[in-house]
């Protein structure tokens, strides 16, 4: 592609790069910036521009290497931290991107681009209140980011009205939690949802061996390990890439998918004899769509076993820890609507919170036979 800039001399390498990117020639901008640096023209800002050009050209890994090296060369330069944060965010490294945006603002508190980028990252992470605070401030001031901030506020309001936790929030939460997950859950929080479900399976007769099992929100693989002896095939789905890595190292799953559980079930896929969701539905409020998709993916006579946190009365609600609670009547109603029959429902405590048992329900549903 001829960008129309090949024969033009630019006194500033950044102008030359920006002209090429603007014309749609990110690869040309990359080559141009590399040539400038090799010729000894340009400094830290040229390196930042090269990282951004590589991102625009789709060379994410190279971009991150350049931007990391640049940030190391200029640890006190806010623009370098901002650019590294942008690269990390583009490559899906949300927690470290947020840290870089925060570092940029510590170095230069009035760097509006970093503040806007941090708001966008908090929005991607499902942190509506943190994002709203930043976008409200930007929308009330005059800057190039004012119109975009006002538009982003509408996205924040949509997130607040949602009847489930934002996928970005769940991924961010468990990516951060992944390295310490089992020690904290099994030790500090006395987590036992996976063991409760295995016991419930015995009570309702869902212990046939040689079956196909799907583990929704599989995390590091605790539920999968509890049911592996029954499985002919064991598949897992989780939003967090870092949790999936821990599950993969267990060596018990036949396949692992990084995806939101609702999206995974809505996509074409195999049917299962048993679907598990240990401490997963606490991030979903309205379960109608999920139950319908599970009913469609269960084989004849297949079981769905799950835990929820318990809500007195009807319906569902978002608790103070940003985890949904569900009422027994709501679960039974949704099951009946979606062709599932409640075969067992037990009061239980799947975990502790602040040294007190969390009230929960362990539920076994079976796909109804057509009349």
């Amino acid at each position: 592609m001829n960008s129309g800039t090949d024969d033009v001399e630019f006194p500033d390498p950044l102008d030359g790069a920006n002209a090429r990117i603007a014309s749609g020639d990110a690869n040309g901008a990359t080559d141009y910036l590399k040539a400038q640096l090799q010729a000894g023209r340009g400094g830290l800002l040229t390196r930042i521009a090269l990282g951004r050009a590589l991102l625009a050209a789709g060379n994410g890994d190279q971009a991150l290497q350049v931007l990391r090296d640049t940030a190391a060369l200029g640890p006190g330069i806010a623009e370098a931290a901002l650019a590294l944060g942008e690269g990390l965010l583009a490559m899906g490294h949300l927690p470290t991107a947020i840290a870089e945006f925060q570092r940029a603002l510590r170095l230069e508190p009035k760097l509006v681009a970093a503040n806007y980028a941090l708001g966008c990252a908090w929005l991607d992470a499902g942190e509506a209140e943190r994002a709203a605070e930043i976008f409200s401030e930007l929308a009330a001031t005059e800057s190039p980011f004012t119109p975009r901030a006002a538009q982003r506020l509408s996205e924040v309001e949509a997130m607040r009205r949602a009847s489930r936790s934002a996928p970005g929030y769940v991924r961010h939460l468990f990516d951060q939690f992944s390295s310490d997950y089992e020690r904290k859950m099994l030790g500090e929080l006395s987590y036992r949802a996976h063991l409760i479900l295995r016991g419930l399976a015995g009570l309702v007769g869902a212990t046939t061996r040689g079956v196909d099992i799907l583990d929704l929100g599989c995390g590091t693989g605790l539920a999968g390990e509890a049911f592996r002896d029954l499985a002919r095939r064991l598949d897992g789905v989780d939003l967090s890439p870092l949790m999936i890595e821990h599950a993969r190292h267990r060596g018990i799953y036949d396949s692992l998918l990084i995806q939101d559980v609702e999206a995974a079930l809505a996509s074409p896929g195999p049917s299962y004899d048993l679907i598990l969701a240990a401490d997963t539905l606490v991030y979903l409020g309205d379960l109608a769509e999920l139950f319908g998709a599970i009913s469609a993916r269960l084989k004849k006579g297949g079981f769905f076993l799950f835990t929820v946190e318990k809500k007195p009365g009807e319906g569902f609600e978002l608790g103070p820890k940003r985890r949904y609670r569900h009422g027994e009547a709501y679960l039974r109603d949704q099951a009946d609507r979606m062709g599932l029959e409640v075969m067992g429902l037990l009061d239980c405590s799947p975990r502790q919170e602040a040294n007190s048992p969390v009230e929960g329900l362990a539920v076994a549903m079976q796909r109804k036979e057509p009349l």
Side-chain angles (χ1 to χ4, degrees):
M1 174 179 177
N2 187 343
S3 66
T5 60
D6 295 340
D7 300 322
V8 179
E9 289 295 328
F10 293 92
D12 186 338
L14 301 185
D15 292 338
N18 290 334
R20 284 165 171 78
I21 292 174
S23 69
D25 186 15
N27 285 318
T30 297
D31 293 340
Y32 176 80
L33 288 163
K34 286 180 177 178
Q36 294 295 316
L37 288 168
Q38 287 169 359
R41 293 192 292 270
L44 202 69
L45 293 180
T46 304
R47 293 176 182 275
I48 291 172
L50 174 58
R52 287 171 167 157
L54 285 165
L55 274 179
N59 298 319
D61 291 337
Q62 291 183 45
L64 278 184
Q65 187 59 55
V66 168
L67 293 171
R68 285 192 174 106
D69 291 345
T70 304
L73 287 170
I77 305 300
E79 187 68 28
L82 168 60
L84 177 54
E86 291 169 348
L88 289 164
L89 189 62
M91 295 299 289
H93 305 300
L94 189 54
T96 46
I98 288 171
E100 287 301 315
F101 295 144
Q102 291 172 326
R103 186 168 72 87
L105 287 167
R106 286 195 298 272
L107 292 168
E108 192 174 330
K110 294 184 179 181
L111 185 58
V112 179
N115 204 25
Y116 176 77
L118 179 59
C120 293
W122 282 131
L123 190 61
D124 285 350
E127 296 282 358
E129 300 310 316
R130 288 176 169 175
E133 183 178 353
I134 291 171
F135 292 139
S136 296
E137 177 186 329
L138 290 173
T141 59
E142 287 298 325
S143 82
F145 294 92
T146 300
R148 281 183 274 178
Q151 182 178 359
R152 287 288 191 164
L153 278 171
S154 64
E155 297 178 40
V156 171
E157 288 307 312
M159 184 179 291
R160 285 168 166 164
R161 293 192 299 270
S163 59
R164 57 156 292 169
S165 298
Y169 164 71
V170 179
R171 174 179 173 174
H172 177 59
L173 176 67
F174 284 98
D175 274 351
Q176 288 187 307
F177 200 15
S178 62
S179 63
D180 206 25
Y181 178 79
E182 292 192 17
R183 184 196 64 80
K184 187 174 181 65
M185 291 297 286
L186 298 175
E188 296 178 20
L189 301 181
S190 299
Y191 174 76
R192 53 194 305 270
H194 55 308
L195 302 178
I196 291 170
L197 290 185
R198 183 57 200 257
L200 179 61
L203 291 175
V204 299
T207 54
T208 302
R209 294 182 182 271
V211 298
D212 297 329
I213 302 175
L214 175 62
D215 186 3
L216 294 175
C218 63
T220 61
L222 291 173
E225 190 168 71
F227 282 84
R228 177 68 240 192
D229 65 304
L230 303 181
R232 178 181 68 177
R233 178 177 183 85
L234 176 62
D235 297 333
V237 179
D238 201 280
L239 254 179
S240 165
L242 297 183
M243 296 287 274
I244 285 283
E245 277 306 303
H246 286 282
R248 184 170 287 115
H249 289 155
R250 257 194 162 84
I252 61 172
Y253 289 93
D254 294 286
S255 76
L256 287 163
L257 178 65
I258 302 171
Q259 195 172 16
D260 175 70
V261 294
E262 286 188 320
L265 287 169
S267 303
S271 296
Y272 293 93
D273 302 286
L274 177 60
I275 297 178
L276 308 170
D279 206 37
T280 298
L281 306 192
V282 294
Y283 298 105
L284 302 173
D286 185 354
L287 298 177
E289 182 177 337
L290 181 83
F291 279 16
I294 283 173
S295 181
R297 296 288 286 274
L298 280 173
K299 296 180 184 180
K300 180 180 178 180
F303 282 92
F304 174 37
L305 305 182
F306 62 92
T307 61
V308 293
E309 292 188 7
K310 184 178 180 179
K311 176 188 179 298
E314 300 181 354
F316 61 87
E317 65 182 7
L318 185 62
K321 296 293 184 180
R322 296 184 65 176
R323 294 161 63 89
Y324 285 94
R325 300 166 177 160
H326 296 85
E328 178 179 339
Y330 173 81
L331 297 174
R332 292 184 180 277
D333 179 62
Q334 292 301 321
D336 187 62
R337 290 171 182 266
M338 299 302 168
L340 298 168
E341 184 175 0
V342 176
M343 304 301 292
L345 189 149
L346 304 173
D347 286 308
C348 68
S349 177
R351 58 183 282 170
Q352 291 191 352
E353 195 74 59
N355 296 319
S356 297
V358 171
E359 290 188 70
L361 296 169
V363 187
M365 295 180 178
Q366 188 173 30
R367 182 181 165 189
K368 289 182 181 178
E369 298 300 324
L371 297 176

